[in-house]
């Protein structure tokens, strides 16, 4: 039986000198935009100290030029660079979704090479030789494949397990081969198939099929609307959901200035680019579909399953952002893919999306809710509206650079994480003011996604679940390698599923990812069967290997490796003293208690 009081005392003692509180911070039921929430969270997790001082940092690329010159102009102080330990943990989590291993941490901290951060970034971004798909999977590909599958809502519920798996592997292969992002998007928007269980790319559009009232046939026109809404949202950062039901006027004047001027038929004309498609189930039931160009038109007389009735008006394909129509003889979907990927908003939305994933908040916040009437400082909106991007010139420069370098996602990621802006510490010397937040004057603290927390527990303890992939002979040990949350059900995986659910895992169908903190999560970590099972001394687990190491390790050596494995940093002197004492008094039990305590430390849950 675990000595709960002793172990809880260990947790509280470990708090001294570390990340602030052990109970996840509470957040309002109706949270503010991400920047406001993360600013509050950062202030709680990484409190500022006195006195204030502007820390000198190197300008590594044009990102820093824009960010630091703006702070200098407005006399806004900023944090210094993160420590090597902070940087290494952060960049591993952000690029791979995994913790750095103790050996890598020790080597990095001892390395005196001034370029060691860039070299580490390059090593994390490196993937198997292009085309060699039989090579082992890399954490970078696992992480970013999962990211895009979350974004595109790739689920077996809508596509069947075979269709979902194919789309997932298609995205994985595109990232492996570093396919230009505009080419990938064009393929997704123009794919056709006689069987989505055979052809991968068509599953992207089929994810937006809408079943008619009989739940057997596909409501074609409703599906066209969904395809227009999704493609505009993910690839242009423009959310057309509201104007799919009503005109913007009279509804959106206080929400989105550009959308307040959009009329419902403009959405229909965007959707009309897909109206030559025909979707059907070859076998009448199930999630197996064909998606073929068979002519047709956008039918405003179709009874809608999801929206207010349409009305008669002229509906032919017309691109919403430019008013452009297909060229004579040009396939409508080919035209749409061309217009969308050539529009500057495509590049602008993409770089902002990746920036938000790496920095915690977009230059435009939220990243999928651009207001196109508020982007240009040379053409300011009427009062009381203000310019939407926190750094409009930087956003334009990033988009321009993305276009000029062939829409290279890996290069874009490298550009951001090599900047001093990304590498700033979350700790701030002096009084922090909320007005500093839009400047990116410190690195925002974020709670880790559910999958990363679970994988971190497995990686730190060395005890991995066996997760079978539906409709596949593959079994995996990392949640981030799963095709979707649907792989994580079944009696043996129930403890893992419950932990993921308590930390807000998305199901890509009815629930979105939730990164807020709660007392429920604290209770889950304290009592989770997945955690309790992981911290036991088991064969091939980290704890067993440390206890049975040849030659034997001292208690101090064991404690140091445990801190590196779980928290990616060496123990502080008071922490080391408490942990060593626990091992001296209750060796095996003390080591299990130490593992459990480290998982329950706040910093284990946060990307800082």
């Amino acid at each position: 039986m675990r000595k709960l009081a002793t172990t809880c005392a260990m947790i509280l003692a470990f708090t001294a000198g570390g990340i602030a509180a052990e109970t996840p911070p509470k957040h309002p039921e109706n949270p503010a935009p991400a920047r406001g929430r993360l600013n509050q969270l950062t202030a709680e997790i990484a409190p500022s100290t006195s006195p204030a001082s502007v820390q000198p940092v190197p300008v590594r690329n044009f990102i820093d030029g824009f960010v630091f010159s703006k702070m200098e102009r407005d006399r806004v102080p900023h944090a210094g660079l993160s420590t090597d330990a902070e940087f290494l943990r952060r960049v591993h989590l952000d690029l791979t979704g995994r913790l750095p291993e103790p050996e890598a941490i020790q080597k990095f901290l001892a390395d005196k090479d001034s370029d060691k951060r860039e070299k580490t970034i390059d090593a994390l971004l490196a993937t198997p030789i292009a085309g060699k798909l039989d090579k082992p999977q890399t954490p970078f590909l696992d992480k970013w494949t999962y990211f895009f599958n979350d974004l595109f809502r790739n689920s077996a519920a809508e596509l069947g397990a075979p269709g979902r798996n194919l789309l997932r592997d298609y995205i994985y292969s595109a990232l492996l081969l570093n396919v230009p992002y505009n080419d990938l998007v064009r393929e997704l928007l123009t794919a056709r198939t006689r069987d989505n269980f055979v052809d991968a790319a068509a599953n992207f559009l089929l994810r937006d099929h809408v079943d008619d009232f009989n739940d057997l046939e596909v409501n074609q026109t409703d599906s066209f609307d969904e395809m227009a809404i999704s493609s505009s949202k993910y690839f242009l950062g423009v959310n057309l959901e509201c104007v799919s039901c009503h005109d913007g006027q009279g509804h959106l004047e206080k929400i989105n200035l550009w959308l307040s001027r959009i009329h419902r038929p403009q959405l229909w004309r965007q959707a009309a680019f897909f109206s030559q498609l025909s979707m059907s189930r070859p076998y009448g039931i199930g999630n197996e579909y064909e998606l073929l160009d068979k002519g047709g038109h956008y039918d405003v007389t179709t009874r809608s399953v999801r929206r207010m009735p349409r009305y008669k008006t002229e509906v032919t394909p017309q691109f919403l952002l430019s008013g452009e129509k297909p060229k004579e003889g040009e396939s409508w979907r080919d035209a749409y893919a061309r217009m969308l990927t050539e529009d500057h908003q495509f590049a602008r939305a993409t770089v902002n999306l990746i920036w938000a994933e790496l920095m915690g908040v977009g230059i435009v916040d939220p990243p999928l809710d651009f207001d196109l009437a508020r982007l240009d400082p040379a053409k300011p909106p009427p009062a009381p509206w203000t310019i939407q991007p926190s750094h409009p010139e930087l956003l334009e420069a990033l988009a321009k650079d993305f276009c000029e370098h062939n829409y290279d996602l890996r290069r874009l990621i490298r550009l951001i994480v090599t900047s001093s802006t990304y590498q700033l510490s979350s700790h701030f010397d002096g009084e922090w003011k909320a007005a500093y937040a839009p400047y990116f004057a410190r690195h925002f603290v974020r709670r880790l996604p559910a999958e990363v927390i679970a994988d971190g527990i497995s990686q730190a303890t060395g005890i991995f679940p066996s997760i079978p992939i539906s409709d596949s002979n593959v079994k995996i040990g990392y949640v981030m390698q799963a095709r979707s949350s649907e792989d994580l059900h079944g009696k043996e995986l129930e403890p893992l599923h419950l932990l993921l659910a308590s930390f807000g895992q998305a199901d890509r169908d009815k629930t979105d990812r939730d990164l807020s903190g709660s007392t429920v999560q604290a209770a889950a970590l304290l009592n989770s069967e997945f955690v309790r099972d992981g911290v036991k001394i088991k064969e091939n687990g980290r704890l067993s290997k440390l206890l049975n190491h040849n030659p034997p390790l001292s208690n101090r050596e064991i404690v140091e490796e445990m801190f590196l494995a779980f928290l990616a940093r060496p123990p502080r002197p008071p922490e080391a003293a408490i942990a060593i004492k626990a091992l001296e008094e209750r060796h095996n039990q003390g080591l299990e208690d130490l593992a459990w305590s480290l998982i329950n430390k706040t910093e284990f849950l946060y990307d800082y």
Side-chain angles (χ1 to χ4, degrees):
M1 179 69 67
R2 185 174 307 282
K3 297 182 179 180
L4 182 61
T6 302
T7 311
C8 287
M10 187 185 298
I11 296 175
L12 292 173
F14 282 172
T15 305
I19 299 294
E22 291 303 326
T23 302
K26 297 179 181 179
H27 298 291
E29 292 184 1
N30 298 311
R35 186 178 292 112
R37 288 186 287 110
L38 292 183
N39 179 52
Q40 177 187 347
L41 178 62
T42 304
E44 294 176 7
I45 297 296
S48 56
T49 57
S50 295
S53 62
V54 176
Q55 302 293 327
V57 297
V59 173
R60 300 185 185 276
N61 56 38
F62 71 82
I63 292 174
D64 298 334
F66 282 104
V67 172
F68 292 113
S69 63
K70 182 173 182 178
M71 283 191 279
E72 183 178 6
R73 181 196 69 193
D74 295 345
R75 297 183 179 180
V76 171
H78 57 77
L81 288 178
S82 56
T83 66
D84 281 347
E86 289 170 338
F87 164 79
L88 192 66
R89 181 179 186 273
R90 179 191 302 170
V91 79
H92 269 260
L93 289 171
D94 287 348
L95 295 191
T96 72
R98 299 186 192 177
L99 294 164
E101 288 292 340
E103 299 82 3
I105 300 170
Q106 291 171 327
K107 182 179 179 181
F108 186 80
L109 295 181
D111 192 350
K112 303 302 181 183
D113 188 345
S114 59
D115 294 328
K116 65 180 182 180
R117 294 195 179 194
E118 286 200 13
K119 290 179 179 178
T120 296
I121 290 167
D122 289 337
L124 294 176
L125 289 170
T127 58
I129 298 172
K132 300 293 185 180
L133 296 178
D134 58 333
K135 293 287 183 178
Q137 293 186 334
T138 69
F140 170 78
L141 295 177
D142 292 337
K143 194 273 186 189
W144 289 93
T145 298
Y146 204 92
F147 168 80
F148 281 107
N149 276 269
D150 262 357
L151 180 69
F152 300 154
R153 302 163 301 131
N154 183 18
S155 73
E158 295 296 334
L159 297 170
R164 175 204 64 173
N165 293 351
L166 279 172
L167 181 56
R168 183 267 176 195
D169 292 344
Y170 175 85
I171 294 170
Y172 180 93
S173 297
L175 292 172
L176 169 66
L177 300 172
N178 204 25
V179 173
Y181 191 57
N182 60 332
D183 289 347
L184 170 63
V185 171
R186 284 177 179 170
E187 290 181 4
L188 294 174
L189 293 175
T190 59
R192 51 186 58 80
T193 184
R194 290 193 178 276
D195 188 345
N196 69 301
F197 285 7
V198 175
D199 297 321
N203 285 285
F204 173 78
L205 288 180
L206 284 169
R207 174 61 180 83
D208 284 321
H209 77 273
V210 177
D211 287 337
D212 216 338
F213 293 97
N214 59 14
D215 287 330
L216 295 175
E217 297 175 315
V218 175
N219 186 306
Q220 306 289 332
T221 306
D222 273 0
S223 299
F224 303 151
D225 281 353
E226 293 299 324
M227 292 173 183
I229 291 168
S230 293
S231 58
S232 298
K233 183 176 182 179
Y234 306 142
F235 304 135
L236 298 173
V238 177
N239 192 343
L240 302 176
E241 188 69 46
C242 288
V243 294
S244 69
C245 285
H246 52 71
D247 291 347
Q249 186 176 2
H251 297 275
L252 300 176
E253 283 83 358
K254 295 183 179 180
I255 299 173
N256 190 298
L257 183 60
W258 186 79
L259 285 174
S260 71
R261 303 163 181 171
I262 301 301
H263 300 283
R264 196 178 177 199
Q266 291 175 269
L267 178 278
W268 301 341
R269 295 181 191 116
Q270 186 96 323
F273 282 101
F274 298 100
S275 63
Q276 292 180 329
L277 275 174
S278 174
M279 289 156 283
S280 63
R281 294 181 174 89
Y283 305 106
I285 58 174
N287 289 313
E288 200 162 357
Y289 300 92
E290 68 172 22
L291 181 76
L292 298 173
D293 292 299
K294 293 185 175 180
H297 66 285
Y298 188 95
D299 188 356
V300 295
T301 66
T302 299
R303 184 183 175 194
S304 177
V305 176
R306 295 189 174 180
R307 294 181 171 82
M308 299 291 289
R310 302 176 182 89
Y311 49 84
K312 289 185 178 181
T313 186
E314 185 272 330
V315 179
T316 55
Q318 186 174 22
F319 191 55
L320 181 59
L321 272 59
S322 65
E324 186 180 356
K325 297 182 179 181
K327 299 174 183 177
E328 186 174 352
E330 186 178 20
S331 160
W332 289 357
R333 281 200 293 151
D334 287 347
Y336 182 65
R338 172 181 59 79
M339 295 172 195
L340 182 146
T341 56
E342 290 179 357
D343 194 285
H344 190 64
Q345 180 58 23
F346 169 70
R348 191 187 283 131
T350 303
V351 299
N352 186 65
L353 184 69
I354 301 302
W355 179 280
E357 177 65 10
L358 294 169
M359 300 293 291
V361 59
I363 297 171
V364 167
D365 171 40
L368 299 180
D369 279 303
F370 271 75
D371 186 338
L372 302 185
R374 300 167 51 212
L375 300 180
D376 187 356
K379 301 176 182 178
W385 288 101
T386 58
I387 294 297
Q388 187 185 30
S390 61
H391 294 71
E393 295 84 4
L394 171 59
L395 182 61
E396 295 305 311
L398 283 167
K400 183 174 181 289
D401 182 80
F402 189 50
C403 295
E404 291 176 347
H405 289 90
N406 202 27
Y407 301 88
D408 187 333
L409 285 174
R410 201 173 303 176
R411 183 188 179 280
L412 171 63
I413 292 169
R414 186 186 189 281
L415 181 69
I416 295 172
V417 299
T418 54
S419 70
S420 290
T421 302
Y422 170 84
Q423 295 181 27
L424 289 181
S425 176
S426 56
H427 293 274
F428 181 83
D429 291 335
E431 180 187 0
W432 176 260
K433 298 180 180 179
Y436 299 162
Y439 290 84
F440 294 100
R442 70 196 298 186
H443 196 80
F444 288 119
V445 171
R446 296 170 283 160
R447 210 213 69 207
L448 294 170
E451 299 87 352
V452 178
I453 292 172
D455 284 347
I457 293 170
S458 298
Q459 186 184 353
T461 61
I463 304 298
F464 290 86
S466 178
I467 305 170
I469 302 299
S470 305
D471 196 60
S472 166
N473 294 322
V474 175
K475 286 191 175 182
I476 57 173
Y478 284 96
V479 177
M480 197 68 77
Q481 294 175 332
R483 280 37 177 175
S484 68
S485 63
E486 294 145 314
D487 289 331
L488 304 167
H489 291 280
K491 185 176 181 181
E492 291 186 1
L493 295 175
E494 184 66 14
L496 173 58
H497 171 68
L498 291 174
L499 181 71
L500 291 166
S502 69
F503 279 94
Q505 184 184 36
D507 67 5
R508 299 181 183 167
D509 188 24
K510 296 180 175 63
T511 61
D512 295 324
R513 180 181 300 283
D514 183 358
L515 295 181
S516 61
S518 72
T519 53
V520 171
Q521 294 165 8
L525 281 185
L526 289 169
N527 300 287
S528 167
E529 183 180 339
F530 181 76
V531 175
R532 293 202 310 269
D533 189 61
V535 300
K536 291 179 181 177
I537 299 171
K538 292 183 176 182
E539 186 178 1
N540 296 323
R542 188 181 301 274
L543 276 62
S544 176
K545 290 178 180 178
L546 289 173
L547 291 173
N548 297 293
H549 193 274
N550 188 15
L553 298 174
S554 68
N555 287 339
R556 178 171 295 277
E557 289 173 323
I558 292 174
V559 166
E560 287 177 352
E561 171 141 348
M562 289 288 285
F563 271 79
L564 292 174
F566 284 78
L567 302 182
R569 64 167 176 83
R572 302 180 179 96
E575 295 170 329
I578 295 168
I580 291 171
K581 183 178 180 181
L583 266 63
E584 290 172 346
E585 295 177 349
R586 311 179 313 281
H587 196 55
N588 287 19
Q589 182 67 62
L591 184 59
E592 290 183 351
D593 289 347
L594 175 58
W596 188 71
S597 301
L598 292 174
I599 290 171
N600 278 276
K601 276 184 64 63
T602 294
E603 66 182 287
F604 185 83
L605 301 179
Y606 288 89
D607 185 339
Y608 55 86

